[in-house]
């Protein structure tokens, strides 16, 4: 049998492409253009078939092709590169081609992957250039920026085109006041979510596929990669539906949500020109098993937790999807910044925060043979626009999603008790938070000298291994009240399922 060839390509310059212009609508358009390249009728598939190559996988800014000659793959790569260059968007590809004999596709894919990783290090960082006497090409997504992405019918919701539409209106309806008191904020959240252990699973799958036929390898590869893409897409849209139906249900011509623990405090979605509403969230980029998005700071933690739950619980794989890829867990990093903070830098900071969550998760694997680690979430309240994160003493972060000291327990027990205490003993609680930043002994002294109303509710809500007299762990190293004090005036928890 003759020699066949596998070709791998990966988009280069994605970050520069996404954030070359700081406007949210331009970023959304750039992200959409990348997603379209991997569709069934997108750039990768079109150019591959025109060159006589077979597309195996095409999504998330990368593609895997096969052909019966090296020239066909080279021609496909050249055609894709030419179109990217002509677009003027600053994107290019890194590619590699590797030969294989019948029955050796899995091993050749592994070797090609190694070659591709090496080539990424030698790829030029920027493809923007200007010939002498010639104008630099205009990005093709320029023409799309004039489109009105906010068009929607009355009662429907759409992802916002500007950050001023992303941040919902906040206000208090207080007794004795005829008009509500506005809650001014320009705080948004930039969120980075990434799948856990996918690289290890991919290696295990390849190692276990060395005895498979080439057709079986291609079939499984296309099946699990498509399944993961659909699962991420479905989880995102399930979260949007949840926002529209459960968190901000329509009431006349408004969509608002009252804080479940602070009576009279509301957030209300901004309206579009044609009677619809803007979601308080906007996807920036999704590729493979990673996702970045913007969100109103007040629901960012709940929305991210909901996304994690949908990713973990949804999905019915076909028989062709290997068991290795049935389970999805993720790490999530959230950075809170004002709406004028540079997008690209905020995304980079959220990825740094996510790395903390990833390390925490790696310490708690639940199934060794599948390398499955529990989902984990971390955040950084960056009000001052700092470029480096300072460690917060006695913080419990990052939080695993479940467990006695997990995010669910923190949000459903500690925070409600915290709000209850704050409503009765506001000033004393603020002093308690100041003491908690010192050590457990300072907290113990304050609770002895200045008793606080409703403090027993907070003590009873603490995780089991925490001492009730100091609200710290037995060794005095951690306390969830430090984290609660940081976000209690920002966070709007989702409505409980019992009240829906």
């Amino acid at each position: 049998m003759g020699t066949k060839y596998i070709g791998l390509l990966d988009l280069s310059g994605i970050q520069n492409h996404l954030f070359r212009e700081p406007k949210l609508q331009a970023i959304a358009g750039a992200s959409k253009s990348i997603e379209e390249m991997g569709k069934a009728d997108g750039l990768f598939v079109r150019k591959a078939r025109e060159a006589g190559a077979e597309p195996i996988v095409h999504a998330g800014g990368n593609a895997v092709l096969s052909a019966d000659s090296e020239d066909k793959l080279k021609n496909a790569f050249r055609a894709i590169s030419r179109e990217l260059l002509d677009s003027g968007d600053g994107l290019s590809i890194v590619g590699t081609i590797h030969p294989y004999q019948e029955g050796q596709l899995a091993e050749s894919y592994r070797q090609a992957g190694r070659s591709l990783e090496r080539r990424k290090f030698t790829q030029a960082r920027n493809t923007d250039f200007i010939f002498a006497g010639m104008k630099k090409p205009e990005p093709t997504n320029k023409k799309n920026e004039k489109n009105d992405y906010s068009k929607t019918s009355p009662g429907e919701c759409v992802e916002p085109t500007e950050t001023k539409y992303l941040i919902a209106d906040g206000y208090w309806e207080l007794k004795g006041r005829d008009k509500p008191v506005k809650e001014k904020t320009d705080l948004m959240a930039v969120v980075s979510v990434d799948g856990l252990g996918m690289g290890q699973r991919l290696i295990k799958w390849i190692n276990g596929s060395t005895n498979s036929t080439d057709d079986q390898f291609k079939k499984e590869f296309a099946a699990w990669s498509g399944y993961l893409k659909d699962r991420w897409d479905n989880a995102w849209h399930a979260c949007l539906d949840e926002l529209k139906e459960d968190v901000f249900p329509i009431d006349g011509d408004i969509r608002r949500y009252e804080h479940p623990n602070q009576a009279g405090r509301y957030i209300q979605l901004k309206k579009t020109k044609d009677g619809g509403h803007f979601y308080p969230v906007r996807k920036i980029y999704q590729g493979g098993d990673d996702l970045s998005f913007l969100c109103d700071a007040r629901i960012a933690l709940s929305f991210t937790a909901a996304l994690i739950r949908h990713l973990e619980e949804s999905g019915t794989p076909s028989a062709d999807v290997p068991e290795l890829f049935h389970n999805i867990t993720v790490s999530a990093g959230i950075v809170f910044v004002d709406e004028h903070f540079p997008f690209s830098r905020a995304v980079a900071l959220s990825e740094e925060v996510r790395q903390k969550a990833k390390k925490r998760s790696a310490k708690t694997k639940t199934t060794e043979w599948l390398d499955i680690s529990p989902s984990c979430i971390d955040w950084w309240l960056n009000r001052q626009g700092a470029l480096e994160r300072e460690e917060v003493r006695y913080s419990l972060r990052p939080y695993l999603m479940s467990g006695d000291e997990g995010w669910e327990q923190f949000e459903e027990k500690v925070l409600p008790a915290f709000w209850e205490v704050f409503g009765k003993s506001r000033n004393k609680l603020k002093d308690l938070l100041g003491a908690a930043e010192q050590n457990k002994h300072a907290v113990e002294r304050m609770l002895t000298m200045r008793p606080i109303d409703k403090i027993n509710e907070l003590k009873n809500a603490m995780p089991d291994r925490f001492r009730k007299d100091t609200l710290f762990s037995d060794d005095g190293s951690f306390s969830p009240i430090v984290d609660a004090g940081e976000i209690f005036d920002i966070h709007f928890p989702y409505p409980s399922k019992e009240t829906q």
Side-chain angles (χ1 to χ4, degrees), residues 234-275:
N234 293 339
W236 177 260
H237 287 102
C239 285
L240 294 185
D241 290 341
E242 199 168 22
L243 278 176
K244 185 172 63 174
E245 302 298 332
D246 300 330
V247 184
F248 297 96
I250 192 74
D251 181 11
D253 63 343
I254 65 172
R255 290 183 179 274
R256 70 173 186 172
Y257 176 49
E258 183 177 13
H259 196 292
N261 303 99
Q262 295 179 303
R265 188 185 181 196
Y266 294 87
I267 48 177
Q268 181 172 309
L269 300 187
K270 287 186 169 68
K271 295 181 180 179
T272 65
K273 293 180 180 179
D274 42 16

Side-chain angles (χ1 to χ4, degrees), residues 309-470:
R309 286 193 295 270
H310 284 296
L311 280 168
E312 289 183 341
E313 297 169 2
S314 64
T316 303
S318 68
D320 294 323
V321 177
E323 186 179 354
L324 280 167
F325 303 102
H326 287 193
N327 294 288
I328 293 181
T329 57
V330 300
S331 57
I334 303 169
V335 59
F336 297 98
V337 294
D338 71 65
E339 63 174 307
H340 301 294
F341 197 87
F343 279 115
S344 58
R345 183 56 186 159
V347 171
L349 291 177
S350 69
E351 291 173 350
E352 291 178 12
V353 175
R354 178 179 53 75
Q355 286 297 325
K356 294 284 187 180
K358 185 176 182 179
K359 290 179 181 178
R360 171 70 178 87
S361 177
K363 297 177 181 178
T364 320
K365 287 186 178 180
T366 56
T367 308
E368 185 65 32
W369 77 278
L370 284 178
D371 292 308
I372 295 176
S373 301
S375 294
C376 191
I377 188 171
D378 194 9
W379 72 85
W380 174 23
L381 182 58
N382 187 10
R383 289 184 183 273
Q384 306 303 319
L387 298 180
E388 292 186 4
R389 180 188 188 188
E390 294 184 4
E391 294 298 325
V392 180
R393 290 193 304 170
Y394 309 121
S395 171
L396 258 181
R397 293 174 296 161
Y399 281 83
L400 299 178
M401 281 302 298
S402 58
D404 184 50
E405 297 171 24
W407 167 256
E408 291 177 353
Q409 197 270 357
F410 175 72
E411 184 182 41
E412 295 173 6
K413 293 183 179 180
V414 176
L415 275 173
F418 197 93
W419 281 309
E420 180 69 18
V421 174
F422 187 81
K424 301 295 182 181
S425 306
R426 184 181 303 259
N427 293 331
K428 287 183 180 180
L429 186 57
K430 287 183 177 180
D431 292 340
L432 180 69
L433 292 173
E437 293 178 357
Q438 300 176 42
N439 52 55
K440 70 173 184 176
H441 302 296
V443 172
E444 187 176 22
R445 286 194 300 270
M446 181 184 166
L447 291 175
T448 301
M449 297 174 63
R450 301 177 62 193
I452 296 177
D453 293 340
K454 299 285 186 180
I455 193 65
N456 286 333
E457 280 82 347
L458 181 55
K459 290 179 178 180
N460 293 333
M462 297 293 284
D464 290 341
R465 76 180 179 97
F466 282 68
R467 292 182 58 183
K468 308 308 180 184
D469 54 344
T470 66

